[in-house]
Amino acid sequence: MAISLVSTQRISAFTGGKHDCKRCRVHSNGRTPETYLPETTGAGCAFLDYDNDGWMDIYLVNSGPCDFFQPKTPLRNALYKNNRDGTFTDVTEKAGVSGNAYGMGVAVGDYDGDGFPDIYVTQYPHSVLYHNNGDGTFTDVTAKAGVAAPGWGTSAVWFDYDNDGALDLFVCRFVDFSKAKNKFCGNLKTGERWYCIPSVYDPMPCWLFHNNGDGTFTDVSKQSGIASVKGKAWGAVACDVNNDGLMDIFVANDTVANFLYINRGKGKFDEAGLLAGVAYSAYGRPRSGMGVDAADFNQDGWMDLFVANVDQEMFSLYQNNKDETFRDVAIATGIGSATRLLSGWGLKFFDYDNDGELDLLLCNGHPDDHVDARVGGVTYLEPMLLFRNTAKGLKNVSGESGDIFRKSLAARGMALGDFDNDGSVDVLIATNNGAPVLLRNNAGKENHWLGVQLIGKKSNADAIGARVTYQAGNLMRRRVKVGGGSYLSSHDPRIVLGLGKRETIDWLEVKWPLPGGGTQHFRDLPIDRYITIVEGEEKWK
């Protein structure tokens, strides 16, 4: 079965009352003859249930005013409320989440544990935190919280690095950039410019903010070791790579070594990318890392890592060796050859057909909009790829998965979420300087499933780091809830467990992250619906 396109007409029919949504639904990068690098790198998107009605809403990031761009027509981000009938309503201005600079990405998390998801938007030259008031509106609390993260913010991740039960915030920072520092890259004879390779810019450290539990955060970037190395960070994902109960961070860097921050406890991280084998290519060269994810794709109990790069470099699938090292199996799985001429941004592991195996979706597009004329075989607009996990390996099924895979996009951010609550996880793609693409998944409906919303009490409210194990007949699988993943984007917080044709679940186990850390077992579970499991409560809802 295919993934189908919910037409751009459907997206453009989002209503916004008196507001004309033509300005907010289409990403505008503000492209100029000076080719400022941020123009070609955004934007992100998110699925979130901002009003807690059980239906996924949509958030789209747009560009905005900064030193190199003053839009002639006001631009804003867009929050769309799910109408539960396949349409959405623009509620941005009522909600108060328009953004206030040149937008890049979005990270959603309930940082204060009040039951309502909050929104952090990364921007240039500063980011913004919107606190969810629980009444359909948000308040800009950036100054109070202390998380402006000045500079060029890209991806951000909510996770609990010190296991105190509160979500902390990791923010990727890209290069040392401003209008005054813009570089010339292009043809010196003709004066034609194209977007620079980031190697011409200086690297910068990322940010780590500790949640103080009172609505404020402390910048612990230096004392934690996060700022001990400088990078050019795009994508990030938080997971426990060594099974020690502490959340680590994998960061994709562009033209410099990738980072693997190993959490050593007591608020300290070691950057171990080189020793782990994930910093460079097999030839010892830095690549242009952009989108990332983490998942136990081979079900051996250890988290594996994925990073997408630009053309000529191939993407990497790093299999966990269970000793804080990894080996790249991209060539063996066929991912290497399939991605050699592509540039990857948004990506994610998920079980698109609900057969119990984790598949992989890749969204692509070259960063240089003039590359077609300069490099043979490489194009600015590129197709998506879908790899189906057969339990014996990954199979490229893009050609049989729908018309959308025959289209080429300037894809950037990509978020997963079941917007119609049918158990088939859908896809939202943000395109650079264009309309978003919303894909309805038709494949998952052919199999049975159970959707699980986890709510932490002693553990962090979003249960980031929780491990879910389930058995249905001869199928036993594990799922881990990571923080972040993809590129500039945030995902439906629910976990969908695929059952294939099996009509019952024998049991389900949730191992909560610390400080709760307990394990709960559940039987007599329904199928083909969503349930909520609250930490410490014996019965699901």
Side-chain angles (χ1 to χ4, degrees):
M1 285 291 288
I3 291 177
S4 67
L5 173 68
V6 177
S7 72
T8 53
Q9 287 301 310
R10 173 68 57 83
I11 292 180
S12 65
F14 288 163
T15 57
K18 65 179 181 180
H19 305 294
D20 181 0
C21 201
K22 290 181 180 178
R23 294 199 304 268
C24 59
R25 70 178 176 85
V26 175
H27 177 256
S28 299
N29 65 11
R31 195 191 193 289
T32 59
E34 290 77 17
T35 58
Y36 298 106
L37 192 52
E39 295 170 358
T40 192
T41 59
C45 56
F47 280 110
L48 74 161
D49 184 7
Y50 84 97
D51 53 357
N52 281 355
D53 67 351
W55 293 75
M56 286 296 116
D57 310 299
I58 285 174
Y59 190 77
L60 300 170
V61 179
N62 209 341
S63 61
C66 63
D67 58 356
F68 67 83
F69 181 47
Q70 294 297 321
K72 296 179 181 179
T73 301
L75 298 173
R76 59 176 173 85
N77 303 339
L79 175 64
Y80 291 109
K81 176 178 171 57
N82 193 328
N83 297 327
R84 312 184 192 185
D85 60 1
T87 68
F88 295 78
T89 298
D90 183 350
V91 295
T92 313
E93 294 196 10
K94 175 184 177 182
V97 290
S98 297
N100 55 18
Y102 197 95
M104 294 298 298
V106 54
V108 177
D110 182 8
Y111 75 88
D112 58 351
D114 65 354
F116 288 90
D118 310 298
I119 301 174
Y120 186 75
V121 182
T122 58
Q123 305 177 137
Y124 167 82
H126 57 78
S127 298
V128 59
L129 175 61
Y130 292 113
H131 174 260
N132 192 328
N133 299 321
D135 59 0
T137 69
F138 292 75
T139 300
D140 180 349
V141 295
T142 314
K144 174 187 175 183
V147 291
W152 181 352
T154 55
S155 293
V157 175
W158 293 102
F159 75 123
D160 182 8
Y161 78 88
D162 57 349
N163 288 337
D164 65 354
L167 286 175
D168 309 299
L169 180 63
F170 178 85
V171 183
C172 291
R173 186 174 180 182
F174 200 50
V175 297
D176 184 14
F177 174 86
S178 69
K179 180 180 180 179
K181 296 179 180 179
N182 192 47
K183 308 288 187 181
F184 177 89
C185 295
N187 188 320
L188 291 173
K189 292 182 179 180
T190 65
E192 180 190 7
R193 305 181 72 131
W194 49 75
Y195 289 111
C196 290
I197 297 173
S199 57
V200 302
Y201 289 99
D202 293 331
M204 297 298 289
C206 294
W207 300 87
L208 180 62
F209 296 99
H210 175 260
N211 190 333
N212 299 323
D214 60 0
T216 69
F217 292 75
T218 299
D219 180 0
V220 295
S221 310
K222 292 182 179 179
Q223 57 264 48
S224 65
I226 293 296
S228 64
V229 288
K230 295 181 179 181
K232 303 176 183 182
W234 281 135
V237 63
C239 66
D240 181 4
V241 300
N242 54 7
N243 287 346
D244 66 351
L246 299 170
M247 297 291 282
D248 313 299
I249 313 169
F250 180 50
V251 180
N253 282 312
D254 197 339
T255 69
V256 296
N258 297 326
F259 296 151
L260 180 59
Y261 290 107
I262 301 292
N263 191 337
R264 300 303 185 191
K266 299 182 179 179
K268 301 295 184 181
F269 289 83
D270 288 340
E271 200 293 289
L274 178 60
L275 294 176
V278 299
Y280 299 108
S281 73
Y283 302 103
R285 301 189 185 107
R287 291 186 282 185
S288 299
M290 295 179 291
V292 299
D293 199 24
D296 181 9
F297 86 97
N298 58 354
Q299 290 293 292
D300 65 353
W302 296 76
M303 297 298 285
D304 309 297
L305 303 174
F306 193 95
V307 60
N309 304 297
V310 298
D311 64 285
Q312 318 301 333
E313 295 180 344
M314 296 191 301
F315 301 178
S316 286
L317 174 56
Y318 291 113
Q319 188 169 315
N320 197 321
N321 293 327
K322 309 177 184 180
D323 59 359
E324 294 189 5
T325 70
F326 295 77
R327 65 184 180 277
D328 190 349
V329 296
I331 293 178
T333 57
I335 289 173
S337 60
T339 61
R340 185 178 293 278
L341 297 179
L342 299 178
S343 298
W345 305 85
L347 59 92
K348 210 79 174 71
F349 283 100
F350 74 118
D351 183 5
Y352 83 95
D353 53 358
N354 284 337
D355 67 350
E357 309 296 343
L358 284 173
D359 313 300
L360 178 63
L361 181 66
L362 306 173
C363 295
N364 311 299
H366 201 278
D368 181 0
D369 58 1
H370 286 174
V371 72
D372 305 59
R374 297 191 300 106
V375 181
V378 178
T379 59
Y380 176 63
L381 304 178
E382 297 178 347
M384 299 192 307
L385 292 177
L386 179 63
F387 288 86
R388 182 174 182 267
N389 192 334
T390 66
K392 296 180 180 180
L394 294 171
K395 178 184 178 182
N396 188 346
V397 295
S398 309
E400 58 198 70
S401 297
D403 290 342
I404 186 62
F405 291 92
R406 288 182 282 276
K407 298 179 183 295
S408 293
L409 306 170
R412 296 297 186 263
M414 185 268 282
L416 299 179
D418 182 7
F419 76 88
D420 51 3
N421 279 347
D422 66 353
S424 295
V425 178
D426 308 303
V427 180
L428 176 66
I429 303 168
T431 66
N432 186 261
N433 210 41
V437 178
L438 181 60
L439 303 177
R440 176 180 286 117
N441 183 350
N442 300 314
K445 291 180 285 189
E446 291 199 340
N447 286 318
H448 295 295
W449 56 279
L450 174 65
V452 180
Q453 170 87 32
L454 298 176
I455 299 178
K457 290 301 181 180
K458 291 182 180 179
S459 305
N460 68 85
D462 289 355
I464 302 298
R467 293 175 178 257
V468 176
T469 306
Y470 67 103
Q471 181 151 2
N474 63 346
L475 178 76
M476 188 177 79
R477 292 292 182 266
R478 303 177 187 87
R479 297 287 181 263
V480 180
K481 191 169 183 185
V482 303
S486 189
Y487 173 79
L488 303 181
S489 300
S490 197
H491 314 279
D492 188 334
R494 302 171 297 182
I495 302 173
V496 176
L497 309 175
L499 307 178
K501 301 302 181 184
R502 302 163 187 87
E503 297 182 350
T504 59
I505 297 178
D506 301 315
W507 53 266
L508 181 149
E509 174 186 283
V510 179
K511 180 172 176 53
W512 297 92
L514 296 171
T519 301
Q520 291 182 265
H521 300 267
F522 299 90
R523 293 183 179 272
D524 301 321
L525 293 155
I527 64 169
D528 299 335
R529 57 161 288 189
Y530 283 97
I531 65 171
T532 299
I533 295 177
V534 179
E535 183 179 13
E537 295 186 5
E538 295 182 0
K539 180 64 177 174
W540 50 267
K541 300 178 181 178

